[in-house]
């Protein structure tokens, strides 16, 4: 059986990891053994935070809607309950966008909701 020299594959693997660790501070960016751990940990953080980002963004939408609704003299929970009661199917993303960029349209929706809650 012929001898297998592994220098080429090892170098390729090292280069791949070191490319991913480019910009890391200290030895984490240029020493393979340390960089490999740093890259694996970065991957774990990235995987976790792709999910956390969705939670954070939803919380931001809720905060924006809440702030806009309170200016109109309602609470967020009453607003959302009224939204369901008035059969207005607008998601939080669009509501938050309206609350920030188009206040008159948001106020009109809030007026419809107040009317549905009064009944």
């Amino acid at each position: 059986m012929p001898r297998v020299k592994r220098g080429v594959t090892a170098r390729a693997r090292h280069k791949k990891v070191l490319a991913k660790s480019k910009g890391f501070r200290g030895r984490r960016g240029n020493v393979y053994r340390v960089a490999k751990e740093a890259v694996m940990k970065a991957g774990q953080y990235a995987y976790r935070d792709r999910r956390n980002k969705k939670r954070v963004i939803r919380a931001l939408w809720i905060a924006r809607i809440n702030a806009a609704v309170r200016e109109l003299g309602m609470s967020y929970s009453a607003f959302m309950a009224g939204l369901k009661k008035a059969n207005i199917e607008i998601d939080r993303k669009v509501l938050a966008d309206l609350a920030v960029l188009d206040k008159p349209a948001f106020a009109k929706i809030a007026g419809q909701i107040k009317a549905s809650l009064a009944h």
Side-chain angles (χ1 to χ4, degrees), residues 43-89:
Q44 290 170 346
Y45 285 137
Y47 179 86
R48 179 197 70 190
D49 291 336
R50 277 195 296 275
R51 279 128 194 94
N52 285 356
K53 184 166 93 171
K54 293 161 184 62
R55 298 174 208 164
V56 170
I57 295 296
R58 183 184 164 93
L60 176 66
W61 294 335
I62 290 170
R64 286 179 174 172
I65 295 166
N66 188 21
V69 163
R70 292 213 181 260
E71 286 178 7
L72 301 170
M74 292 175 75
S75 70
Y76 173 79
S77 58
F79 178 80
M80 294 313 281
L83 207 63
K84 302 276 186 290
K85 194 173 180 187
N87 286 329
I88 300 172
E89 291 184 11

Side-chain angles (χ1 to χ4, degrees), residues 18 21 24-36 38:
L18 290 171
S21 71
F24 287 11
R25 189 179 175 123
R27 288 191 312 156
R28 306 175 98 228
N30 56 17
V31 174
Y32 173 74
R33 196 179 287 190
V34 183
K36 184 179 169 193

